[in-house]
Amino acid sequence: MLYPTPIAKLIESYSKLPGIGVKTATRLAFYTIGMEDEVVNEFAKNLLAAKRELSYCSICGNLTDQDPCAICQDETRDQSIILIVEDSRDVSAMENIQEYHGLYHVLHGLISPMNGIGPDDINLKTLLTRLMENEVEEVIVATNATADGEATSMYISRVLKPAGIKVTRLARGLAVGADIEYADEVTLLRAIENRTEL
Ligand SMILES: [Zn+2]
């Protein structure tokens, strides 16, 4: 099907989103054309602003519009404990239950021997720097209960334990393969409370 260039390009853009095939992209593109000018302007503006104004916190790696992020800047939070997660969505999930008051570290990935992703390919170096420069007593590894989550957890434990830092892992209230991001609040809360030392 041949479309005028502007809509063909819009379809192409939508096709780049995850889980969106050409058919859906075409539907979205035509839907967009039919939207009010004002709504489309707002949409375009939000896309650009999100990309322009957001960055990763230089301390914890969390997605933020200020550096350091609000959590790292908050001195009322327990500075002696760091919870390690795979990505920023996990930080939101934890913050939602309002029971964890320590700091975070976002890895932006997991160690994956199967896929050739090693410790240097994720945001681990800054964690080691943080641990050297601050009085951290406990690190909670809150990676998902997948093979890669386990590999990452094992690695962190192996590196940190000799340094005298207590390393704990979220309890197995989370089913194997479960995503922290989608865990319900009670499950997540129980997983933190019943964390086990590695
Ligand atoms: Zn931060």
Side-chain angles (χ1 to χ4, degrees), residues 3-198:
Y3 294 116
T5 307
I7 193 155
K9 284 189 166 171
L10 191 53
I11 293 169
E12 201 187 312
S13 291
Y14 276 125
S15 306
K16 291 190 169 127
L17 297 174
I20 308 269
V22 176
K23 212 170 145 190
T24 307
T26 307
R27 195 166 54 82
L28 291 173
F30 274 91
Y31 183 81
T32 308
I33 304 294
M35 282 157 72
E36 299 282 341
D37 282 2
E38 205 180 301
V39 179
V40 176
N41 277 334
E42 183 77 9
F43 194 38
K45 211 176 73 195
N46 289 342
L47 272 179
L48 290 171
K51 194 63 192 158
R52 198 184 304 127
E53 294 163 21
L54 292 172
S55 62
Y56 295 114
C57 174
S58 56
I59 296 173
C60 73
N62 195 15
L63 194 65
T64 179
D65 59 353
Q66 52 183 323
D67 192 20
C69 74
I71 294 173
C72 286
Q73 280 191 48
D74 185 351
E75 285 172 8
T76 66
R77 296 190 74 113
D78 186 347
Q79 312 284 318
S80 71
I81 177 162
I82 295 181
L83 190 138
I84 302 182
V85 292
E86 180 180 350
D87 65 41
S88 293
R89 288 170 296 184
D90 299 330
V91 174
S92 300
M94 284 291 171
E95 285 299 283
N96 278 342
I97 63 172
Q98 299 183 340
E99 285 292 333
Y100 175 73
H101 306 291
L103 302 174
Y104 292 93
H105 196 83
V106 183
L107 296 175
H108 298 295
L110 294 172
I111 293 172
S112 178
M114 292 273 283
N115 297 304
I117 301 170
D120 293 340
D121 301 315
I122 60 175
N123 186 30
L124 261 176
K125 236 179 247 161
T126 49
L127 173 70
L128 301 179
T129 313
R130 282 179 88 180
L131 296 175
M132 275 190 284
E133 292 170 356
N134 300 281
E135 295 284 321
V136 177
E137 284 160 22
E138 181 182 354
V139 161
I140 306 174
V141 184
T143 50
N144 293 332
T146 56
D148 292 348
E150 291 305 319
T152 308
S153 161
M154 292 308 286
Y155 178 85
I156 291 171
S157 157
R158 211 168 56 222
V159 172
L160 299 190
K161 267 174 124 182
I165 295 165
K166 185 176 171 190
V167 182
T168 55
R169 178 100 172 93
L170 285 195
R172 300 316 185 81
L174 291 171
V176 171
D179 245 334
I180 287 167
E181 187 190 349
Y182 301 118
D184 67 83
E185 294 182 5
V186 177
T187 306
L188 210 47
L189 188 56
R190 208 173 294 143
I192 300 180
E193 281 170 351
N194 300 331
R195 63 187 185 267
T196 47
E197 190 159 355
L198 288 176

